[in-house]
Amino acid sequence: HFGKDPNLTVIRHRVRVAFPQDVLDEAIHLQGLKLDEKNREDLTHLTLFTIDDEVTKDMDDALSLEQTHNGFHLGIHITDVASILPPE
């Protein structure tokens, strides 16, 4: 019934994981980004906590928490290692 690595929380709570193209286009528009732009920021100075499960092969999802003068800033991060490695 399930694939190799099902996300049971997503299944249990029926979290939407696919969106119509017009919704995606609006989200990109609101961020001021284009799909083909590489608008990335180096955040290697942050302390991150991976949120991938123990059987995940790609540890690329993480959270950070920084204290600011107004409270806290929660960062949700997805790494793109391929963007900094040469094709060879």
Side-chain angles (χ1 to χ4, degrees):
H1 294 286
F2 298 109
K4 183 177 181 249
D5 296 313
N7 187 330
L8 296 179
T9 302
V10 170
I11 295 168
R12 182 179 303 117
H13 296 286
R14 297 185 177 133
V15 175
R16 178 182 250 184
V17 295
F19 299 92
Q21 189 60 47
D22 62 325
V23 173
L24 296 173
D25 291 343
E26 183 177 354
I28 291 166
H29 173 72
L30 292 174
Q31 293 176 5
L33 301 176
K34 295 179 183 169
L35 283 174
D36 58 353
E37 278 185 317
K38 291 191 177 186
N39 191 358
R40 298 181 172 99
E41 184 178 351
D42 182 357
L43 299 174
T44 55
H45 65 282
L46 296 177
T47 300
L48 301 172
F49 301 92
T50 61
I51 57 173
D52 294 292
D53 63 27
E54 60 191 29
V55 297
T56 301
K57 295 178 183 170
D58 301 329
M59 296 293 195
D60 59 355
D61 303 317
L63 298 175
S64 65
L65 188 63
E66 298 175 277
Q67 189 165 12
T68 67
H69 63 279
N70 292 329
F72 290 91
H73 179 95
L74 173 65
I76 301 171
H77 310 276
I78 302 172
T79 60
D80 183 9
V81 176
S83 70
I84 61 170
L85 295 176
E88 295 81 30

